[in-house]
Amino acid sequence: MKAIFHSICYPKPPVVSPCFWLWIFTLVGCGIAEKKINSSNADVSMETTYHWEDSVRTYLSKTAMVDSLESAGFYGDFSPYSLFLVKSGFLFSKKEKNTLFAYSISDSAILVRNFLESNGKWKESSNSINLPIHSFSPAYFRFNIEDYNFDHRRDIFLQFYQSMGNADSYGYLLIFDEDSRNLVLVKESIEIPNLVPDSKHKLLKSTRYSNPNSGEENYSITEIYSWEKNALVKVDIQNTKFER
């Protein structure tokens, strides 16, 4: 299976959008993702080889042509999950342009790379982040950019999977550090399901629900987290029961 690409460039559309040629070049010229499936195994094992470097170089050369650019290579025609994503623009600051890449480097890992614009050229941040995934294969993700630590700068959340039954959502949170201009991985975030920022109270909430088909009481558990030196600290737990 190959990734399905969709690109968006704005707001400088020429008569023939550069994204059209970028899309054609990416599909034809770049080896997107090659999957070899061994169907003789009852569990359908996968050996996956990813070739993204050509795509990274191509997108970096094109981002200077537009104010912002977004493109994603999806896992399938109707899948909301990506194998490859690039997002360029004033992502974290109104004064500085970034190009962000997130892509699968194996069946069990995602690589996140951040490039900063300096004197008209792209300079890669020193801390590319490797995110391991142990619960499923292949390594695909959903992308969300929002202010999670309430410093008026947007951060990144990569959702990797949902658990069975209650469909709890899990992923990694990466916050943008203004001093270093790097992304910082919040390691404990992968263990916290359904993480949602509460900007009014400057807290993060994680709510889990009981399985409605378990035959037991229906309830929810909400854990409240605050920030302490780029780490999440649990400050409260709220239990709620529901009538059947």
Side-chain angles (χ1 to χ4, degrees):
M1 181 184 294
K2 289 190 176 182
I4 308 300
F5 267 79
H6 299 287
S7 300
I8 302 174
C9 289
Y10 42 87
K12 297 180 180 177
V15 177
V16 178
S17 171
C19 293
F20 173 80
W21 302 113
L22 176 58
W23 178 71
I24 294 295
F25 179 83
T26 304
L27 290 181
V28 176
C30 300
I32 297 173
E34 299 174 0
K35 291 179 177 289
K36 298 178 181 178
I37 301 178
N38 180 7
S39 58
S40 63
N41 188 321
D43 296 328
V44 189
S45 63
M46 287 188 179
E47 293 182 3
T48 308
T49 303
Y50 297 93
H51 305 286
W52 296 117
E53 281 303 317
D54 287 343
S55 296
V56 170
R57 287 191 292 267
T58 297
Y59 279 113
L60 286 175
S61 67
K62 297 295 183 181
T63 49
M65 301 174 60
V66 292
D67 287 342
S68 56
L69 180 149
E70 183 174 350
S71 183
F74 293 96
Y75 180 65
D77 291 308
F78 304 104
S79 173
Y81 289 88
S82 303
L83 291 170
F84 176 94
L85 181 135
V86 55
K87 192 174 181 69
S88 181
F90 297 92
L91 305 181
F92 309 111
S93 167
K94 295 181 179 179
K95 299 179 181 179
E96 186 174 59
K97 191 176 178 180
N98 294 73
T99 293
L100 183 76
F101 292 93
Y103 52 84
S104 301
I105 55 174
S106 72
D107 273 350
S108 59
I110 302 291
L111 186 67
V112 178
R113 300 170 68 183
N114 180 34
F115 290 79
L116 311 174
E117 188 178 48
S118 177
N119 298 321
K121 296 181 179 180
W122 290 113
K123 180 181 179 181
E124 185 169 9
S125 168
S126 59
N127 68 331
S128 296
I129 301 174
N130 191 321
L131 304 177
I133 308 170
H134 303 295
S135 300
F136 69 97
S137 174
Y140 46 59
F141 57 90
R142 297 181 74 171
F143 177 90
N144 184 48
I145 182 166
E146 188 176 352
D147 184 6
Y148 279 83
N149 62 344
F150 319 111
D151 62 352
H152 305 293
R153 292 179 180 272
R154 296 190 297 178
D155 309 297
I156 294 166
F157 185 80
L158 294 177
Q159 178 194 345
F160 286 153
Y161 63 92
Q162 290 183 326
S163 63
M164 301 298 290
N166 299 342
D168 291 327
S169 170
Y170 290 85
Y172 281 109
L173 176 61
L174 296 87
I175 59 174
F176 183 78
D177 182 73
E178 183 177 0
D179 294 332
S180 65
R181 297 155 71 201
N182 284 330
L183 291 168
V184 178
L185 172 62
V186 183
K187 294 181 179 180
E188 63 272 18
S189 59
I190 190 63
E191 305 293 339
I192 305 173
N194 311 318
L195 199 57
V196 177
D198 179 356
S199 57
K200 181 179 180 180
H201 300 98
K202 295 186 177 181
L203 297 167
L204 277 76
K205 295 183 178 181
S206 165
T207 301
R208 291 175 288 131
Y209 294 90
S210 60
N211 189 334
N213 300 317
S214 66
E216 301 176 355
E217 283 186 316
N218 289 338
Y219 62 88
S220 69
I221 299 175
T222 298
E223 298 177 338
I224 312 297
Y225 293 85
S226 66
W227 287 101
E228 186 176 310
K229 296 181 179 179
N230 291 339
L232 290 172
V233 178
K234 189 187 301 184
V235 295
D236 193 17
I237 299 178
Q238 301 171 356
N239 296 282
T240 304
K241 293 184 178 180
F242 301 97
E243 297 292 336
R244 288 191 180 275

